[in-house]
Amino acid sequence: SQTIHQWPATLVQPVGSPLSLECTVEGTSNPNLYWYRQAAGRGLQLLFYSVGIGQISSEVPQNLSASRPQDRQFILSSKKLLLSDSGFYLCAWSTTSGGASYNEQFFGPGTRLTVL
Amino acid sequence: KNEVEQSPQNLTAQEGEFITINCSYSVGISALHWLQQHPGGGIVSLFMLSSGKKKHGRLIATINIQEKHSSLHITASHPRDSAVYICAVQGTSYGKLTFGQGTILTVHP
């Protein structure tokens, strides 16, 4: 069966510090991968998605970047965190069916990031 | 105007009541998802539908593509149903989701 892992579960970081959040998927190959953020009091927003190794698309301009060094590994990074980067970060995966994915998405447990 | 609008934003019910949460969207979609988020933040997918109606236990989801509207119903609500329910629409490009703001449901015993 497929599982998705995220770590760390919670993180408190000072403004200006770097960030690295990791997401890994098991039990599937060549998944589409997604990073979402839920800022306090706001809805979920897609940040990045990836359809393959090294292929990253950004949805919104921001202080963050993403990388996919392996098929089932998705990393969210920042060189210098801002207060506005605080939020709940969710990784998700779905199976692929060409460019038009019509598939259920499976969410990781999330990372709660507080930037002070 | 948001692409996905949910109503109500907050909903309080007594145990046993029938509950309806509505979702309207303004863009073309390939599918619509209903998600449940518990207080700890974890998200569970409840339904994915592109037409008609789906039922799972006490939960029923319907969608009207022509009217760009979907509803999530909970029959015989229970306190354990208390959570945030999120509607999300899936476009035709790489499965990207656009989310509604969520409906906070509280069911009292």
Side-chain angles (χ1 to χ4, degrees):
Chain A
S1 65
Q2 302 90 356
T3 55
I4 178 169
H5 304 279
Q6 278 187 252
W7 62 91
T10 59
L11 190 59
V12 180
Q13 292 283 96
V15 169
S17 63
L19 173 73
S20 180
L21 302 182
E22 189 164 344
C23 170
T24 58
V25 181
E26 296 177 358
T28 188
S29 60
N30 195 30
N32 280 356
L33 295 172
Y34 309 87
W35 276 113
Y36 298 98
R37 177 172 62 197
Q38 188 175 41
R42 303 187 65 179
L44 283 156
Q45 181 183 38
L46 176 64
L47 301 177
F48 300 95
Y49 69 94
S50 171
V51 299
I53 296 174
Q55 300 179 60
I56 308 294
S57 296
S58 174
E59 284 296 291
V60 293
Q62 59 208 308
N63 184 43
L64 303 167
S65 62
S67 62
R68 185 172 177 174
Q70 300 179 45
D71 181 46
R72 288 167 288 180
Q73 184 185 31
F74 205 21
I75 297 171
L76 184 69
S77 305
S78 173
K79 292 182 179 178
K80 288 185 178 181
L81 283 168
L82 306 172
L83 286 174
S84 57
D85 292 323
S86 293
F88 188 61
Y89 289 82
L90 283 157
C91 180
W93 72 273
S94 70
T95 55
T96 56
S97 56
S101 291
Y102 173 88
N103 293 306
E104 187 175 3
Q105 287 195 17
F106 301 93
F107 291 84
T111 295
R112 192 162 301 281
L113 171 66
T114 304
V115 182
L116 301 175
Chain B
K1 189 181 190 302
N2 293 330
E3 292 182 344
V4 183
E5 296 276 357
Q6 278 185 245
S7 63
Q9 290 187 327
N10 287 278
L11 183 55
T12 300
Q14 290 298 124
E15 183 173 356
E17 287 184 355
F18 180 85
I19 288 164
T20 296
I21 300 171
N22 295 299
C23 175
S24 297
Y25 55 93
S26 57
V27 296
I29 68 170
S30 61
L32 183 143
H33 299 245
W34 281 103
L35 310 170
Q36 182 190 53
Q37 185 173 31
H38 284 282
I43 288 183
V44 174
S45 177
L46 298 175
F47 296 103
M48 181 182 72
L49 62 165
S50 59
S51 65
K53 175 179 172 179
K54 286 190 176 181
K55 184 176 189 292
H56 184 254
R58 295 180 293 107
L59 274 60
I60 303 167
T62 63
I63 188 169
N64 184 318
I65 296 294
Q66 287 73 30
E67 295 185 3
K68 291 186 166 62
H69 181 269
S70 175
S71 294
L72 176 68
H73 305 285
I74 304 175
T75 61
S77 60
H78 190 276
R80 64 175 175 266
D81 296 325
S82 298
V84 178
Y85 291 84
I86 302 169
C87 169
V89 298
Q90 186 168 38
T92 56
S93 175
Y94 303 108
K96 296 183 287 182
L97 295 177
T98 302
F99 299 85
Q101 288 292 96
T103 295
I104 302 171
L105 171 65
T106 305
V107 181
H108 294 293

